Amino acid sequence: MRVSRLMLVTLRDDPAEAEITSHKLLLRAGYMRRLAPGIFAYLPLLWRVLQKVSAIVREEMAAVDALETLLPQLQPADLWRRSGRWDGYTAGEGIMFHLVDRQERSLGLGPTHEEVVTELASDLLRSYRQLPVCLYQIQTKFRDEIRPRFGLMRGREFIMKDAYSFHADEACLRRTYAAMDGAYRRIFERCGLRAVAVEADSGAIGGSASQEFMVTAEAGEDLILASPDGRYAANQERAVSLPAPPVPLEVSACQPLATPAQKSIEELCTAHGFDPTQTLKVLLLLARFAAAPPRGVLVCLRGDQQLNDVKLANAVTARCPDAGALLEIVPLLADHLCDPVPFGFLGPHLEDPALRQGEARVAAAPMLRLADPSAADLEAFVCGANRSDEHLVGARWGELCPRPEVVDLRAAQPGDRCLHDPSQRLEAARGIEVGHIFQLGRKYSEALEARFTNEAGGEEPLWMGCYGIGVSRLAQAAVEQHHDADGIRWPVAIAPYTVIVVIASSQDPVQVALAEELYERLRVGGCDVLLDDRPERAGVKFKDADLIGIPWRLVVGRAAGERKVELVDRSGDTGKRELAADAAVEQLLGLPGASP
Ligand code: ATP
Ligand code: MG
């Protein structure tokens, strides 16, 4: 391809809309343009990158016997109602774009395809003899993200590879999950990415085990907590650890303590010399559901601990099976209540009637009362007295009130001791989630009645797994990991072109003739090659070549008369070398991916 025909428009300055390096570079180097928030045109250069990533994905999917397909993006609401996900995905913070057609039927634009593929499976897969089966597609997904940002990292329209597997039993599901794990590792490695596998929360997709693949990068939105010995790594949403041991509270009986205006743990501890580990943090929240009135939630944490919102949402969902989708959990505010509740002085013994007013009318449903083990394990503690300006010192579970239901709710932090080996401490790293694999179990097959006849002749729901890769996010993550001050440094396997032949002076017929010859030989030899034939100064062309990040630059300049050229390795590994034109061609045709 000739650069003069490439519609290449590069920008000298960083566009104001871009926040992180990879986003800036993709815009500056002419890979994409933004149409609206989270909606991008993939220009020809980027499309080639995406095609190369997709080709690697296709090869590795074929290697684990997954079949490529293409499923509808317009999906009937009824199907999503039957799986119980329509409300959660469309109301509140739901991310599904949805619409009503001319016949007044509701439809959603596919953010993911569990429903559609399970419906197909229930129609087509009837016998254990047909199993296992794995289908995948590479397709545009739509998600009305609350905060689209960082370019392709969090788009509202983006490309995903999603695969779904069906099995006669759980053991078979586990085998495919393990095979996918291997395929994912090979995909990321072949794309030139440093990615790590971490334990993950299963989120709105559901299911039991799930694992994410994170490209480690400072700009990542996810926090990874890992042990130095490499035996444990998890997304912070899911991570577990040992909290620091508490400082024992040496008191005999429970006493009230005047604490005027000391509403925070910090103020309380500063004023009275308590250690935060001796205190109880009581949070009052309101959970809103699609199909039930809101419900109050009282959470107890040890004073030095933070709440993990994802763990809380999972705990609440599990305890309200008939309430429909959990839409949101918000702090309960004075506005939600008629009578004042002494915020800042709350104790775990707060009674239900306190909430039976205003929007928080919990009516028949009592508050959900949950305590993290760090709070539940305290012998004696300091907590609010449920009266303004007063705390209790030396309160005990059982005496003050029954111990709430114990569930892991605390956010693990960097520096925490690891469960598998307390001498190891969790270290933090930032990551970009490029892939996510799930063992779904029978959640969707039960809901959508996708059943098969097993070997014994009985009917049972299919076992399922699902496996996603953010293809467009991956492409940008590669830039985040591979760039320098001058621009992108694509890994060869996913670079839009492998070689760029630059004519230093387009005025010089000798240079032009040699460049055209080399370009043609490389092209015929199967190399993805660009020819920068633009009538620009050499410096401009070199800058652009660096910016767009083509792995090899072949410069045809003054030595063209002696058939000598300069070969520059964009990765910087072998630097700049002058060599005979024929030798350069030979070397470039020998590169991986260069031959037809
Ligand atoms: P996130 O937590 O980042 O919102 P997710 O967990 O909702 O992502 P999945 O449902 O697991 O995403 O989707 C599979 C893959 O699709 C993700 O691992 C990610 O690489 C990619 N992906 C998800 N959302 C987006 C998005 N808005 N833009 C680009 N890629 C995305
Ligand atoms: Mg995910």
Side-chain angles (χ1 to χ4, degrees), residues 13-227:
D13 299 316
D14 287 337
E17 74 187 69
E19 300 122 303
I20 59 171
T21 309
S22 53
H23 185 190
K24 290 177 190 162
L25 286 174
L26 287 175
L27 286 170
R28 279 185 52 205
Y31 280 83
M32 63 188 197
R33 281 292 179 273
R34 189 180 81 144
L35 190 65
I39 304 178
F40 289 86
Y42 312 133
L43 298 178
L45 279 178
L46 181 59
W47 186 241
R48 288 184 68 93
V49 174
L50 296 171
Q51 291 300 320
K52 290 202 173 177
V53 173
S54 301
I56 292 172
V57 169
R58 288 194 169 97
E59 283 177 25
E60 295 300 338
M61 287 297 104
V64 292
D65 289 333
L67 295 161
E68 186 163 5
T69 185
L70 192 60
L71 302 171
Q73 287 164 309
L74 272 174
Q75 307 183 3
D78 284 346
L79 192 53
W80 283 73
R81 291 209 177 92
R82 278 165 53 209
S83 71
R85 292 208 296 180
W86 177 258
D87 290 327
Y89 267 80
T90 56
E93 295 186 349
I95 51 152
M96 183 150 63
F97 287 104
H98 51 287
L99 56 118
V100 177
D101 70 13
R102 62 178 76 232
Q103 256 101 38
E104 304 278 307
R105 285 179 296 231
S106 291
L107 298 160
L109 270 177
T112 177
H113 278 71
E114 285 79 13
E115 281 76 0
V116 171
V117 80
T118 310
E119 177 78 349
L120 268 184
S122 78
D123 187 13
L124 298 172
L125 300 176
R126 294 293 172 79
S127 158
Y128 73 94
R129 287 200 191 86
Q130 295 169 282
L131 300 171
V133 167
C134 185
L135 292 174
Y136 80 96
Q137 56 177 348
I138 298 178
Q139 185 199 51
T140 297
K141 292 279 184 278
F142 298 91
R143 293 186 180 183
D144 195 0
E145 297 279 357
I146 297 167
R147 267 180 295 288
R149 57 178 191 162
F150 301 160
L152 306 179
M153 293 291 188
R154 188 164 296 284
R156 295 197 299 156
E157 181 181 317
F158 59 96
I159 301 176
M160 195 200 287
K161 184 286 299 188
D162 45 331
Y164 306 88
S165 65
F166 297 92
H167 312 266
D169 56 49
E170 194 172 9
C172 180
L173 164 60
R174 291 222 183 93
R175 282 194 297 277
T176 297
Y177 183 81
M180 280 289 179
D181 175 64
Y184 272 46
R185 288 170 200 263
R186 285 191 298 276
I187 289 168
F188 300 129
E189 195 189 314
R190 287 182 61 186
C191 289
L193 293 173
R194 293 183 302 277
V196 292
V198 306
E199 282 182 20
D201 179 67
S202 295
I205 305 280
S208 49
S210 100
Q211 183 173 285
E212 287 166 343
F213 293 84
M214 297 280 188
V215 165
T216 45
E218 266 313 303
E221 289 189 281
D222 286 275
L223 186 67
I224 304 168
L225 294 176
S227 63

Side-chain angles (χ1 to χ4, degrees), residues 52 491-494 498 526-528 551-552 587-596:
K52 290 202 173 177
V492 176
I494 61 170
T498 312
C527 177
D528 285 335
W552 296 92
Q587 184 187 331
L588 292 171
L589 287 179
L591 289 174
S595 40

Side-chain angles (χ1 to χ4, degrees), residues 201 212 433 435-436 438:
D201 179 67
E212 287 166 343
E433 181 195 326
H436 198 166
F438 299 77

Side-chain angles (χ1 to χ4, degrees), residues 518 522 554 565-567 579-589:
L518 301 180
L522 287 168
L554 189 66
V565 294
E566 196 180 75
L567 190 58
L579 73 175
D582 297 324
V585 169
E586 211 163 287
Q587 184 187 331
L588 292 171
L589 287 179

